[in-house]
Amino acid sequence: MDCIHLNGIRSYGYTGFLPEEQVLGQWFEVDLVLWVDLAAAGRSDRIEDTVDYRQTIEQVKQLIHQSKYALIERLATAIAEQLLHHSSLEKVSVKLTKVAAPIPDFSGRITIEITRNRS
């Protein structure tokens, strides 16, 4: 199966376990792998035969910005579920990163990765 990789999608959102995370918000970054058959697009050169990256990026950014979940696992799952509604996607991998998690004495990043198949 063919893949489309979309990396570095950044959006400000309000997901987090701590109450201040859902009020003040924070930056998130998403990397996606979209499994889709690209043979038709490779022959036709038509956007209708593939996934429109612009729409996918906008969907992810809006979902991050509008959602208020306690766990980033839930946000990643919501992103995967929404993207799998696209008729041509067979599978999606979502790598979601909290760029600056509010954890004392921790300057790293928290990243989870999930992969979901069309049901």
Side-chain angles (χ1 to χ4, degrees), residues 16 27 40 46-47 50 52 60 66 70-71 79 82 86 98 101 108:
W27 284 100
R46 294 170 11 118
I47 192 80
T50 189
D52 187 334
V60 170
Q66 295 173 356
L71 301 177
I79 292 169
Q82 182 169 331
H86 189 284
K98 266 189 181 184

Side-chain angles (χ1 to χ4, degrees), residues 32-64:
L32 300 173
V33 181
L34 310 174
W35 280 268
V36 59
D37 186 351
L38 299 174
R43 287 189 301 272
S44 72
D45 197 29
R46 294 170 11 118
I47 192 80
E48 297 82 18
D49 292 331
T50 189
V51 175
D52 187 334
Y53 324 133
R54 299 166 300 173
Q55 290 177 357
T56 301
I57 292 166
E58 188 57 33
Q59 283 179 333
V60 170
K61 289 171 76 171
Q62 287 298 315
L63 192 55
I64 291 170

Side-chain angles (χ1 to χ4, degrees), residues 1-80:
M1 183 59 62
D2 307 315
C3 295
I4 297 172
H5 295 256
L6 300 174
N7 299 310
I9 302 168
R10 290 179 61 92
S11 186
Y12 202 82
Y14 300 91
T15 290
F17 181 73
L18 300 174
E20 58 267 24
E21 291 178 285
Q22 293 195 5
V23 173
L24 300 175
Q26 61 195 304
W27 284 100
F28 293 90
E29 185 170 298
V30 175
D31 297 328
L32 300 173
V33 181
L34 310 174
W35 280 268
V36 59
D37 186 351
L38 299 174
R43 287 189 301 272
S44 72
D45 197 29
R46 294 170 11 118
I47 192 80
E48 297 82 18
D49 292 331
T50 189
V51 175
D52 187 334
Y53 324 133
R54 299 166 300 173
Q55 290 177 357
T56 301
I57 292 166
E58 188 57 33
Q59 283 179 333
V60 170
K61 289 171 76 171
Q62 287 298 315
L63 192 55
I64 291 170
H65 186 70
Q66 295 173 356
S67 298
K68 281 194 177 188
Y69 299 117
L71 301 177
I72 59 174
E73 292 84 346
R74 177 63 190 114
L75 179 56
T77 299
I79 292 169

Side-chain angles (χ1 to χ4, degrees), residues 80-93:
E81 289 171 349
Q82 182 169 331
L83 294 178
L84 283 171
H85 286 323
H86 189 284
S87 61
S88 62
L89 291 182
E90 294 297 322
K91 183 165 70 168
V92 62
S93 175

